[in-house]
């Protein structure tokens, strides 16, 4: 199929107050990001975490940066150590930090300093139920989310679980940034449809950058 957008410059798409999609923003650096994901996963492997309610998540996860998001029987938490390896999470690769800085600045959050990056891997059928990102200490910092590989339908709602949902297809290289008034908006990913992507095979990867600690 002819891809009319193959050579296009990234473009901005408003999503909600404080939120926007930077279409194809990460396209050029995607191969480097994928290489770095491999390096991180060699030290802290992807694993399917179990929620406090005993549910095994369909998405496989790992982290890099000073803090990593995990679950255990007590709840959701940010930890400096990988509970699987008992070592620190791998450091944030430079290409990750640079892309995140550029995207946050383009979205109007030039001071964003992420200390955590959650790496999600979706196989066919994997999904992420509607949730808020609210385990971070300082909710003034935005979330920067990078999509790689197979496309997925992103749901973006409001402050309440029952608020109407926008459904947007996130494709390879798209970056979503949400903060300010939409920082606590509910969001999720619908089950991944089967497909093949030249860079990621039958998977979708997602990087979400967060400022997890309180810097004050
Ligand atoms: C997330 O909400 O942590 C991930 C969203 C996504 O995979 O696009
Ligand atoms: Fe999230």
């Amino acid at each position: 199929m002819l891809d009319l957008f193959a050579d296009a410059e990234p473009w901005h798409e408003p999503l909600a107050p404080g939120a926007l999609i930077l279409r194809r923003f990460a396209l050029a650096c995607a191969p480097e990001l994928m290489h770095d994901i491999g390096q991180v996963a060699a030290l802290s492997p992807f694993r399917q975490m179990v929620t406090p309610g005993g549910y095994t998540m369909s998405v496989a996860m790992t982290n890099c940066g000073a803090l990593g998001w995990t679950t255990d029987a007590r709840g959701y938490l940010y930890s400096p150590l990988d509970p699987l390896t008992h070592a620190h999470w791998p450091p944030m690769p430079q290409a990750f930090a640079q892309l995140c800085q550029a995207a946050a600045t383009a979205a109007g959050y030039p001071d964003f300093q992420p200390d955590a990056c959650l790496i999600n891997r979706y196989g066919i059928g994997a999904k992420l139920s509607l949730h808020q990102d609210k385990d971070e200490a300082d909710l003034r910092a935005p979330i920067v989310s990078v999509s790689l590989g197979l496309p997925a339908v992103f749901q973006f709602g409001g402050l309440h679980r029952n608020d109407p949902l926008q459904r947007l297809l996130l494709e390879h290289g798209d970056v979503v940034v949400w903060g300010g008034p939409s920082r606590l908006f509910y969001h999720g990913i619908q089950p991944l449809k089967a497909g093949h992507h030249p860079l990621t095979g039958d998977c979708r990867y997602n990087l979400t950058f967060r400022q997890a600690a309180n810097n004050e």
Side-chain angles (χ1 to χ4, degrees):
M1 196 180 73
L2 180 67
D3 185 351
L4 294 172
F5 298 112
D7 300 318
E9 288 293 309
W11 66 100
H12 295 195
E13 212 176 279
L15 183 58
L20 83 173
I21 308 181
L22 304 168
R23 293 286 185 189
R24 312 300 187 267
F25 195 88
L27 199 54
C29 65
E32 197 179 358
L33 299 178
M34 282 307 302
H35 170 267
D36 289 347
I37 290 173
Q39 304 279 99
V40 169
L43 296 171
S44 277
F46 282 99
R47 79 292 305 262
Q48 286 175 264
M49 297 183 186
V50 179
T51 66
Y55 167 80
T56 302
M57 300 180 78
S58 57
V59 181
M61 300 177 168
T62 185
N63 290 276
C64 61
L67 293 168
W69 185 88
T70 67
T71 63
D72 69 12
R74 290 164 299 169
Y76 303 111
L77 69 154
Y78 280 98
S79 163
L81 299 182
D82 176 348
L84 200 61
T85 63
H86 306 290
H88 286 273
W89 297 102
M92 184 106 60
Q94 212 179 4
F96 280 33
Q98 277 172 3
L99 169 72
C100 178
Q101 173 65 50
T105 301
Y109 300 99
D111 301 327
F112 184 41
Q113 297 209 319
D115 53 15
C117 177
L118 173 66
I119 309 175
N120 293 321
R121 186 185 67 200
Y122 297 76
I124 307 306
K127 66 178 170 76
L128 200 58
S129 308
L130 215 54
H131 66 279
Q132 296 171 294
D133 292 355
K134 59 177 183 189
D135 303 319
E136 300 74 28
D138 183 349
L139 295 171
R140 286 172 301 182
I143 300 283
V144 172
S145 163
V146 180
S147 292
L148 298 167
L150 287 180
V153 178
F154 180 60
Q155 305 167 315
F156 199 69
L159 279 177
H160 305 284
R161 189 175 280 281
N162 296 331
D163 287 342
L165 297 173
Q166 301 185 61
R167 288 186 175 79
L168 304 123
L169 193 68
L170 294 183
E171 295 183 88
H172 182 61
D174 288 349
V175 178
V176 187
V177 182
W178 64 96
S182 54
R183 176 61 180 75
L184 286 176
F185 278 17
Y186 276 88
H187 58 279
I189 292 286
Q190 289 181 193
L192 193 77
K193 285 214 179 99
H196 179 84
H197 190 276
L199 198 60
T200 66
D202 56 0
C203 288
R204 168 180 187 262
Y205 291 85
N206 170 261
L207 312 174
T208 44
F209 295 92
R210 299 108 187 275
Q211 184 199 307
N214 196 334
N215 286 344
E216 284 174 9

